[in-house]
Amino acid sequence: MIRVNDVIDKISDYHPGADLGIIERAYIYSARVHEGQVRLSGEPYLTHPLEVAGILADMKLDVISVVAGFLHDVIEDTHAVPEDIEKLFGPEVRHIVSGVTKLSSLTFHSSRARQAESLRKMFLAMADDIRVILIKLADRLHNMRTLQFHKANKRKTIAKETLDIYAPIAARLGIYWIKNELEETSFKFLQPDEYNRIQTLVAKSRTEREKYMQTVKDYIQKKMDEAHLTCEILGRNKNYFSIYNKMISQNLPFGEIYDIIAFRIVLDSISQCYEALGLIHSMWKPIDHKFKDYVARPKPNMYQSLHTTVVGPFGERIEIQIRTRDMDRVAKSGIAAHWSYKEGKRIDENISEKFAWIQDLVENQENFRDPGEFLENVRIDLFQDEVYVFTPRGEIKTLPYGATTVDFAYMIHTEVGNQCTGAKVNGQLVPLAYELKTGDIVEITIAKNHHPSKDWLKYVKTVKARSKIRYWIKTQEKERSISLGREMLEKAFRKEKLSFNAMLKTEQMANVGTHFGFKAVDDLVANVGYGKITPLQVVRKIAPKKEPQADPESIFNKLVGRVVRKKRLKDGVLVKGVDDILIRFGKCCQPVPGDSIIGYITRGYGVTVHRTNCVNALRLTPERQIEVEWNQEASETYPVKIQIVSHDRVGLLADVVGNISKFGANILNASSETRDNKMVDSYFTIGVEDTTHLERILSAVRKVKLVQDVKRIG
Ligand code: MN
């Protein structure tokens, strides 16, 4: 069992100037609050925080991390409160211990494989300090080392969770020694038979393997010596879990002892690494696609190394890693290297820089060969765009940040969304607009005849919820339109001494539907209700009349036919100091009395009048500018182009025209375009006396039914 002095010794080794007093105080505090508690092993509880602190010291982490390691269980398991921790050890320790406690409160009800990725993300998302994760890893490592004291089924659950969640996180953070140990112990508890079998096989071939390892090392050493390269050559056995996986995935029997050995050459400089690589390749033939240059392209977790697989002296495959001493150090501690000390100093003093580094990784994801490999998962504190919540049965759902209980309900099922009446979060009733937080357990209550509300659209965040709510509202509107359309049609048919209901199911009616482009007669009826088709149009299809029906085109023709010819306009403007001069108006901006205007002298054409804010006018040279003003006494009309945006409906144009004429304005030109979304843009050029006259017309047209927007253009 480790003692507090061992932890202190480790720290003074890698960080001579460290504040050892705070370590001792954390130990004493932990001992006091955990007093009387016993682990399943029968040992005092204190052994656990001590071991965890020891692991953190093995990772050469900063004093704060080790202190938090001693205290990591005190909020959860003792009467201690966060305020106590802050008072005694400062806000940073409190923050980290609270983070660890928050993560511990997460129960991974189910760790099915398809959920594992979300669980890992959720795990990382909940920690806003990387040290929280490092402490959780150390905590899990020690718990795995003492797993035998649990009951058999509990062992399996914990081992499975370790394999699904913790080992991949350790790998993604580049802390491979923790990853290996977690995998190995999980494997041992999950598949004891397989584990023992491989253990026996490996043990049996041990002598033979050691001999082989020495042979290969000698070959390499000789080659390096010839080139005067100083290096360290290591041979290591792969872990049982990866041997097992290789046997499973490649369907191989255990026989090739070479397959379980990997070699590593550690040198001083990068150029030596490449030189060594060249020498290896000149000695043994490389297998092409197996070469990976993680020196030129480091892995996102900073891992650097040259990887190659060659055909060895006995025709076997040999895996070799080549790296510098520095790269070796990083490969051993991964992201933890950022929180460790080097030569008594922290590598990075600035915490925010570290997070910037992680952010950098995320942003440069596309530069890595295998972007799917880690990246999303190294994002600490960067998952702000997502929240992870549980269903009452423990399934994880991922929603965008700001999503509400209604979004959650729709994510479960459309009907759950449509019928949701309320929600409970962590057992408490909350409003439907409640914004979900990571870790929430969400329960939705539904009622059979309950329906979505338009109000929900104000706060839902997901596309699914939004579109389902809209769809429901639209369907409701359609039902209303069908009953309205039916009434209108019945009336119109009666006028022609026909019965709409009798004809409803006939082929003739179906043909009318097809004529207007509808598959179902219901759609035709609904469109009559919406006002897109008049009942008369339908009647005429069934019982045609002699005289030609009014067609929208002819309305325009009639309108334009009433155009009054433009009068000469020059009298409306006075040019300062000049009496008789040819005046024209800019077509671009069509000034009207009341507008502020400016004149421009155009060679041979007199003066052109523009609105002062006209884009074209602003481009003209100031030397040609001349002051002009409106002649108050002139009674003229001036052309102005207006645009009307509206929903398509029968009778729209007539209403617009009526409103323009009401104010005595002439329509000089009219045209319209229907857009894809059933909106119509109508353009009218009208003759107005001045801006007041124009404003009156515009506001009258704005009040026309289904008109969305009216504005002067040009
Ligand atoms: Mn613990």
Side-chain angles (χ1 to χ4, degrees):
M1 195 187 91
I2 193 171
R3 292 161 314 130
V4 67
N5 285 335
D6 301 329
V7 179
I8 289 176
D9 286 349
K10 283 183 198 197
I11 298 170
S12 5
D13 264 1
Y14 64 80
H15 187 203
D19 173 7
L20 300 171
I22 193 174
I23 303 274
E24 246 168 306
R25 281 193 289 122
Y27 167 71
I28 292 164
Y29 182 80
S30 183
R32 209 181 72 221
V33 294
H34 284 299
E35 189 171 10
Q37 295 177 347
V38 177
R39 297 206 86 201
L40 285 178
S41 60
E43 290 178 301
Y45 194 88
L46 184 64
T47 54
H48 172 64
L50 249 176
E51 292 286 350
V52 169
I55 294 166
L56 296 167
D58 286 338
M59 290 158 87
K60 297 190 171 58
L61 295 190
D62 63 356
V63 167
I64 296 288
S65 304
V66 180
V67 167
F70 273 117
L71 305 173
H72 79 272
D73 277 331
V74 305
I75 295 178
E76 200 189 353
D77 293 341
T78 79
H79 53 77
V81 293
E83 288 71 27
D84 299 342
I85 310 278
E86 175 156 357
K87 216 159 62 203
L88 293 165
F89 304 101
E92 211 179 351
V93 174
R94 173 200 175 150
H95 183 76
I96 295 173
V97 173
S98 299
V100 175
T101 309
K102 198 169 72 175
L103 271 184
S104 307
S105 70
L106 264 190
T107 32
F108 298 106
H109 304 255
S110 141
S111 53
R112 271 173 288 173
R114 73 182 169 84
Q115 278 213 74
E117 186 59 25
S118 308
L119 284 165
R120 291 192 289 262
K121 269 180 139 183
M122 179 170 190
F123 198 87
L124 293 175
M126 281 187 73
D128 53 5
D129 189 313
I130 189 91
R131 289 173 292 181
V132 170
I133 304 280
L134 298 178
I135 290 167
K136 278 307 282 183
L137 287 174
D139 179 40
R140 179 52 59 117
L141 191 62
H142 182 243
N143 286 336
M144 288 304 290
R145 285 174 182 174
T146 52
L147 196 62
Q148 70 271 24
F149 299 107
H150 279 280
K151 290 212 181 80
N153 60 338
K154 185 88 185 177
R155 267 183 234 164
K156 293 224 162 166
T157 315
I158 295 173
K160 182 89 174 62
E161 188 184 88
T162 302
L163 209 51
D164 286 341
I165 314 292
Y166 291 85
I169 286 176
R172 281 159 193 195
L173 299 181
I175 315 166
Y176 294 108
W177 71 272
I178 291 187
K179 176 219 161 208
N180 280 332
E181 192 180 331
L182 291 177
E183 277 181 357
E184 218 65 341
T185 38
S186 302
F187 179 44
K188 190 168 87 190
F189 285 107
L190 285 171
Q191 282 160 297
D193 294 345
E194 294 293 331
Y195 181 87
N196 290 333
R197 191 166 72 91
I198 291 173
Q199 194 178 33
T200 314
L201 291 167
V202 170
K204 252 195 218 158
S205 60
R206 193 169 145 210
T207 328
E208 197 187 342
R209 206 173 54 246
E210 273 170 6
K211 212 177 107 205
Y212 167 75
M213 216 186 259
Q214 197 51 53
T215 313
V216 172
K217 276 188 183 177
D218 289 346
Y219 271 114
I220 298 175
Q221 191 66 61
K222 189 163 163 261
K223 197 80 183 169
M224 299 297 143
D225 286 347
E226 280 167 15
H228 305 291
L229 279 178
T230 321
C231 67
E232 193 185 346
I233 303 160
L234 302 144
R236 64 185 173 92
N237 295 318
K238 290 186 189 164
N239 76 26
Y240 297 167
F241 185 61
S242 64
I243 296 170
Y244 171 72
N245 276 338
K246 200 167 181 179
M247 284 163 65
I248 296 286
S249 69
Q250 301 179 13
N251 201 15
L252 287 174
F254 183 90
E256 296 289 320
I257 49 159
Y258 317 115
D259 275 350
I260 65 170
I261 301 168
F263 292 90
R264 180 177 303 151
I265 308 172
V266 181
L267 302 106
D268 286 327
S269 70
I270 292 178
S271 61
Q272 288 176 353
C273 289
Y274 286 103
E275 200 184 334
L277 179 77
L279 292 169
I280 295 288
H281 284 179
S282 70
M283 177 164 63
W284 295 316
K285 192 173 182 297
I287 297 168
D288 281 352
H289 64 279
K290 287 286 184 181
F291 173 67
K292 294 223 163 63
D293 185 349
Y294 294 120
V295 171
R297 290 168 163 273
K299 285 196 189 185
N301 62 12
M302 306 194 301
Y303 177 88
Q304 284 186 298
S305 218
L306 300 172
H307 286 192
T308 187
T309 303
V310 295
V311 181
F314 313 105
E316 81 288 13
R317 288 149 69 107
I318 310 179
E319 287 176 32
I320 301 170
Q321 302 171 337
I322 303 168
R323 57 172 78 141
T324 66
R325 243 167 266 289
D326 270 350
M327 292 172 190
D328 200 43
R329 187 183 59 81
V330 170
K332 278 172 182 153
S333 47
I335 209 167
H338 280 270
W339 291 98
S340 64
Y341 292 93
K342 193 188 177 190
E343 289 151 15
K345 255 196 209 157
R346 219 141 117 175
I347 293 170
D348 300 297
E349 290 295 333
N350 190 343
I351 291 169
S352 68
E353 251 173 46
K354 280 165 202 124
F355 287 105
W357 170 79
I358 296 169
Q359 191 152 23
D360 219 40
L361 285 186
V362 175
E363 281 162 6
N364 290 312
Q365 199 170 344
E366 69 270 24
N367 296 334
F368 295 101
R369 260 186 227 173
D370 187 2
E373 200 175 354
F374 318 77
L375 253 270
E376 280 204 308
N377 308 291
V378 195
R379 299 171 65 186
I380 307 287
D381 202 27
L382 296 170
F383 290 105
Q384 296 309 325
D385 48 345
E386 284 181 345
V387 294
Y388 307 87
V389 299
F390 290 109
T391 69
R393 275 187 295 176
E395 266 184 74
I396 287 199
K397 298 285 172 195
T398 309
L399 292 121
Y401 181 81
T404 61
T405 59
V406 175
D407 292 293
F408 177 85
Y410 276 101
M411 183 168 260
I412 301 294
H413 193 276
T414 303
E415 279 316 302
V416 174
N418 281 343
Q419 302 178 1
C420 88
T421 56
K424 275 187 182 175
V425 168
N426 307 324
Q428 301 276 319
L429 274 173
V430 294
L432 284 174
Y434 172 87
E435 288 188 9
L436 300 170
K437 291 180 200 62
T438 289
D440 282 349
I441 301 171
V442 192
E443 199 179 331
I444 299 293
T445 46
I446 58 169
K448 259 274 165 319
N449 293 313
H450 203 263
H451 301 304
S453 150
K454 249 184 189 168
D455 286 349
W456 294 357
L457 290 172
K458 287 183 202 142
Y459 51 76
V460 293
K461 282 284 181 325
T462 55
V463 176
K464 179 169 183 190
R466 190 167 295 279
S467 66
K468 293 294 178 188
I469 297 165
R470 286 225 176 97
Y471 178 79
W472 193 88
I473 291 167
K474 223 171 150 187
T475 315
Q476 282 308 103
E477 279 172 0
K478 187 176 175 186
E479 275 166 24
R480 271 202 303 275
S481 300
I482 288 178
S483 71
L484 182 64
R486 186 186 286 262
E487 254 174 61
M488 291 162 77
L489 285 163
E490 279 169 6
K491 217 157 134 196
F493 273 60
R494 257 198 310 275
K495 267 193 191 158
E496 299 290 318
K497 309 261 182 300
L498 293 166
S499 162
F500 174 72
N501 287 324
M503 302 198 71
L504 186 61
K505 297 264 156 66
T506 60
E507 205 186 319
Q508 207 182 353
M509 189 61 81
N511 289 339
V512 177
T514 319
H515 168 82
F516 286 104
F518 302 113
K519 283 195 193 114
V521 175
D522 260 4
D523 293 328
L524 173 70
V525 178
N527 273 281
V528 173
Y530 283 137
K532 295 212 170 133
I533 297 168
T534 63
L536 199 64
Q537 281 174 288
V538 179
V539 171
R540 286 291 161 260
K541 276 287 153 200
I542 301 271
K545 230 183 180 177
K546 296 279 151 32
E547 72 187 52
Q549 62 186 75
D551 132 10
E553 282 297 318
S554 65
I555 296 178
F556 274 117
N557 295 339
K558 277 183 198 156
L559 289 177
V560 181
R562 283 199 281 143
V563 163
V564 176
R565 269 185 57 87
K566 275 193 271 182
K567 295 180 191 165
R568 286 183 60 216
L569 297 171
K570 69 167 187 183
D571 295 336
V573 171
L574 302 170
V575 179
K576 285 226 167 136
V578 190
D579 259 337
D580 199 34
I581 192 165
L582 183 61
I583 300 223
R584 304 172 348 126
F585 289 88
K587 282 208 182 78
C588 42
C589 56
Q590 297 180 314
V592 169
D595 287 332
S596 128
I597 47 173
I598 187 87
Y600 285 92
I601 301 160
T602 351
R603 224 162 281 137
Y605 295 101
V607 171
T608 310
V609 178
H610 291 275
R611 277 151 74 184
T612 40
N613 58 359
C614 171
V615 195
N616 292 328
L618 293 171
R619 280 200 210 108
L620 298 166
T621 48
E623 299 90 276
R624 301 232 208 123
Q625 206 171 298
I626 183 165
E627 271 193 85
V628 292
E629 60 184 24
W630 294 103
N631 181 355
Q632 304 292 344
E633 281 144 47
S635 64
E636 284 282 358
T637 65
Y638 300 83
V640 167
K641 197 168 184 189
I642 63 172
Q643 181 190 28
I644 300 165
V645 180
S646 65
H647 291 281
D648 204 353
R649 74 166 169 91
V650 171
L652 175 80
L653 287 172
D655 290 353
V656 170
V657 168
N659 276 284
I660 295 172
S661 316
K662 196 162 78 189
F663 291 95
N666 283 319
I667 294 167
L668 309 174
N669 197 350
S671 69
S672 84
E673 298 164 2
T674 305
R675 290 195 233 147
D676 289 346
N677 54 5
K678 307 277 185 195
M679 300 292 286
V680 189
D681 288 335
S682 314
Y683 299 94
F684 286 85
T685 305
I686 55 178
V688 297
E689 285 157 20
D690 54 29
T691 48
T692 322
H693 187 200
L694 174 66
E695 263 323 307
R696 250 182 264 143
I697 294 166
L698 293 183
S699 74
V701 175
R702 261 180 214 120
K703 288 185 191 125
V704 170
K705 196 177 144 206
L706 293 190
V707 164
Q708 294 288 297
D709 189 20
V710 181
K711 61 177 185 243
R712 176 181 182 183
I713 56 173

